[in-house]
């Protein structure tokens, strides 16, 4: 009978462990939310500026060749 009593213990502990990990991730995301948004905006602005520069360089090359 002891085996039946402990059969759900591992599953319960695993669920609690996963729930704890999710809570830690949500807490870290909440704490660092402003930093993450600023980082996202900076990355987006840099990518857009790099794309514009590359397109301008390509445009200049086409004008010089033609």
């Amino acid at each position: 009978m002891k085996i039946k009593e402990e059969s759900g213990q591992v599953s319960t502990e695993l669920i609690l462990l996963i729930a704890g990990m999710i809570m830690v991730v949500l807490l870290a995301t909440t704490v660092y939310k402003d930093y993450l948004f600023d980082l996202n905006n900076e990355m987006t602005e840099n990518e857009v500026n790099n794309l514009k520069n590359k397109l301008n360089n390509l445009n200049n090359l086409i004008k010089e060749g033609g």
Side-chain angles (χ1 to χ4, degrees):
M1 287 294 189
K2 199 172 194 180
I3 294 174
K4 289 183 180 179
E5 292 175 3
E6 296 178 357
S7 64
Q9 182 178 357
V10 175
S11 299
T12 304
E13 289 175 354
L14 183 61
I15 289 170
L16 289 172
L17 179 65
I18 292 171
M21 290 170 44
I22 290 172
M23 291 186 68
V24 168
V25 168
L26 289 175
L27 178 65
T29 303
T30 303
V31 170
Y32 291 108
K33 179 174 62 173
D34 294 333
Y35 172 74
L36 292 173
F37 281 129
D38 289 343
L39 183 64
N40 183 31
N41 290 336
E42 183 180 334
M43 287 174 44
T44 304
E45 288 174 8
N46 286 340
E47 290 175 0
V48 169
N49 287 334
N50 286 340
L51 181 61
K52 285 181 182 179
N53 290 337
K54 288 180 181 180
L55 289 174
N56 285 335
N57 289 341
L58 183 60
N59 191 22
N60 291 337
L61 286 173
I62 292 172
K63 285 181 181 179
E64 289 174 3

